[in-house]
């Protein structure tokens, strides 16, 4: 894939690249479909319930049926809504979620774009989804939607700052914003991964990432007990499906990014295990990150909005700044 990108552009390799993009899109859509299924099964297992059981073997076709139901459901638009923005909002929320995946390296040779500012690209594009959520809340002409959209904007902007600052230490250690360079800077033994020298940054990153995903215990924008369903309360059918799709594509993206930044990417935990393909190691680490997000949802209660904002500004932001300072001091000391 990388060799294809580096070649002089022709219609032939352009079509090949487009074909790979379409294949990857279907892979991500397959992940979303069965991530929802496995989330329901995992949470059911943790809470002594069964989860989906009726449709297909072990209920495996339940999510497919749910998606089909959303696609054929009536598409309604409120009479006094801003029609153009109402239609555009789900697209703005989803497109960046898929676009950020272009810079994720899955192995040393498998990846779409090796940008020298890959991490900056990820942070910049993921922020655009906030605009889609705010537009959805405002364009619906519904007070509950507007409150959900504004709450989501406040939450995502607040946690975007410590999320970005938490990885500055890694950038300083590697001297690059390229995700491939960051992975290559980690060795084939788990103690050489960024997880250990940047354990504080890792903890800040995980908490901020869960909040950025609007997932439990930080799912305040969709607090149904207060806001009916939050910013997407007026959406139905496939437009509602776009918002859910964006959320689970971001689960894919943030799990892949965590694997790349802190867990060694495609590197094995021990050098002796290097015979196992790197893609398999990446998938195993990625799957653990996805399972961790499901585990949190099954375990923790939703926190209050004032606790959410206090955690972001009064706890995570100072810790992230302190981590940058300590990293800089350590690099200065050990570089001599």
């Amino acid at each position: 894939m990388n060799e294809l990108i580096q070649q002089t552009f022709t219609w032939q390799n352009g079509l090949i690249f487009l074909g790979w993009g379409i294949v990857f899109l279907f892979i991500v859509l397959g992940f979303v479909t069965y991530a929802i299924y496995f989330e329901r099964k995992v949470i059911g297992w943790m809470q002594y319930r069964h989860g989906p059981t009726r449709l297909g073997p072990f209920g495996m076709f339940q999510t497919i049926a749910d998606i089909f139901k959303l696609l054929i459901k009536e598409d309604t638009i409120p009479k006094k809504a801003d029609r153009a923005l109402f239609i555009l909002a789900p697209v703005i929320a989803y497109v960046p979620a898929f676009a950020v995946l272009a810079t994720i390296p899955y192995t040393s040779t498998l990846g779409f774009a090796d940008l020298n500012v890959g991490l900056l690209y990820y942070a910049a594009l993921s922020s655009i989804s906030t605009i889609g959520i705010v537009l959805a809340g405002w364009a619906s002409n519904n007070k509950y939607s507007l409150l959900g959209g504004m709450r989501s904007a406040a939450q995502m902007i607040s946690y975007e700052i410590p999320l970005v600052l938490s990885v500055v230490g890694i950038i300083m250690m590697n001297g690059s914003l390229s995700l491939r360079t960051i992975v290559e800077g980690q060795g084939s033994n788990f103690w050489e991964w960024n997880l250990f020298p940047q354990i504080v940054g890792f903890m800040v990153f995980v908490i901020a990432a869960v909040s950025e995903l609007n997932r439990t215990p930080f799912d305040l924008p969709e607090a149904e007990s207060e806001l009916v369903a939050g910013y997407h309360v007026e959406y139905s059918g496939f437009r509602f499906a776009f918002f859910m799709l964006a959320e689970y594509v971001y689960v894919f993206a943030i799990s892949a990014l965590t694997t790349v930044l802190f867990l060694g990417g495609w590197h094995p935990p021990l050098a002796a295990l290097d015979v196992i393909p790197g893609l398999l190691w990446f998938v195993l680490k990625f799957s653990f990150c996805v399972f961790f997000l499901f585990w949190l949802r099954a375990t923790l209660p939703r926190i209050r909005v004032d606790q959410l904002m206090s955690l972001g500004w009064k706890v995570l932001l100072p810790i992230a700044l302190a981590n940058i300072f300590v990293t800089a001091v350590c690099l200065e000391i050990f570089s001599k």
Side-chain angles (χ1 to χ4, degrees):
M1 183 64 69
N2 294 324
E3 289 76 6
L4 176 64
I5 297 171
Q6 293 168 3
Q7 292 175 8
T8 303
F9 178 81
T10 64
W11 286 109
Q12 183 177 6
N13 61 29
L15 289 173
I16 295 173
F17 188 70
L18 177 63
W20 274 110
I22 294 172
V23 169
F24 186 63
L25 174 62
F26 279 101
I27 291 173
V28 173
L29 293 177
F31 164 82
V32 171
T33 301
Y34 281 97
I36 297 171
Y37 166 77
F38 281 111
E39 181 170 22
R40 296 172 69 182
K41 295 296 278 189
V42 166
I43 294 176
W45 167 63
M46 290 183 174
Q47 297 177 347
Y48 294 99
R49 296 183 289 105
H50 292 292
T53 58
R54 298 288 183 179
L55 201 58
F58 306 104
M60 292 183 68
F61 298 156
Q62 182 62 56
T63 305
I64 297 174
D66 292 340
I67 293 172
F68 181 69
K69 177 186 72 174
L70 284 173
L71 293 177
I72 64 174
K73 199 172 183 179
E74 181 182 3
D75 176 32
T76 60
I77 299 178
K79 185 177 180 180
K80 294 186 178 181
D82 187 318
R83 187 178 182 88
L85 294 180
F86 187 89
I87 294 171
L88 187 61
V91 179
I92 295 176
Y94 168 71
V95 171
F98 186 74
V100 297
L101 301 179
T103 59
I104 302 293
Y106 303 97
T107 69
S108 58
T109 56
L110 182 60
F112 279 87
D114 181 18
L115 301 181
N116 58 0
V117 289
L119 193 52
L120 180 62
Y121 170 90
Y122 183 103
L125 253 67
S126 62
S127 302
I128 297 176
S129 292
T130 308
I131 300 174
I133 290 173
V134 174
L135 280 181
W138 185 83
S140 297
N141 193 31
N142 179 304
K143 292 182 177 63
Y144 290 108
S145 297
L146 180 59
L147 285 171
M150 295 304 293
R151 178 182 282 187
S152 179
Q155 175 177 332
M156 296 178 78
I157 291 171
S158 298
Y159 280 82
E160 186 81 26
I161 298 170
L163 180 73
V164 173
L165 291 178
S166 67
V167 300
V168 171
I170 293 177
I171 297 170
M172 294 166 66
M173 290 171 58
N174 290 271
S176 175
L177 285 164
S178 167
L179 294 176
R180 188 176 302 278
T181 302
I182 290 173
V183 177
E184 290 171 349
Q186 303 174 74
S188 295
N189 293 294
F190 66 88
W191 57 84
E192 298 175 338
W193 297 349
N194 291 329
L195 173 63
F196 297 102
Q198 287 293 314
I199 186 65
V200 174
F202 173 73
M203 291 188 289
V204 173
F205 180 87
V206 168
I207 297 171
V210 174
S211 182
E212 277 285 292
L213 294 171
N214 292 335
R215 291 183 62 86
T216 307
F218 304 117
D219 56 337
L220 274 299
E222 302 169 20
E224 65 276 357
S225 60
E226 307 162 31
L227 302 175
V228 188
Y231 57 88
H232 52 56
V233 67
E234 296 289 358
Y235 283 85
S236 64
F238 74 96
R239 299 190 202 282
F240 173 80
F242 260 82
F243 284 113
M244 294 298 100
L245 182 62
E247 178 181 329
Y248 279 90
V249 172
Y250 270 125
V251 168
F252 183 103
I254 208 69
S255 298
L257 187 64
T258 305
T259 301
V260 166
L261 293 179
F262 294 98
L263 302 180
W266 57 82
H267 293 302
L270 295 171
L273 299 174
D274 205 20
V275 293
I276 299 175
L279 182 60
L280 181 58
W281 286 119
F282 186 97
V283 170
L284 288 174
K285 297 170 188 176
F286 167 84
S287 301
F288 173 77
C289 294
V290 174
F291 173 79
F292 177 75
L293 293 173
F294 297 166
W295 186 7
L296 284 183
R297 184 171 181 180
T299 306
L300 298 178
R302 179 185 295 137
I303 66 175
R304 298 197 316 262
V305 65
D306 60 310
Q307 295 171 329
L308 173 79
M309 301 306 287
S310 295
L311 177 64
W313 289 105
K314 296 181 181 179
V315 179
L316 296 185
L317 181 57
I319 292 176
L321 290 171
N323 181 63
I324 296 173
F325 176 77
V326 171
T327 302
V329 170
C330 292
L331 288 174
E332 182 64 24
I333 293 173
F334 290 110
S335 63
K336 293 181 179 179

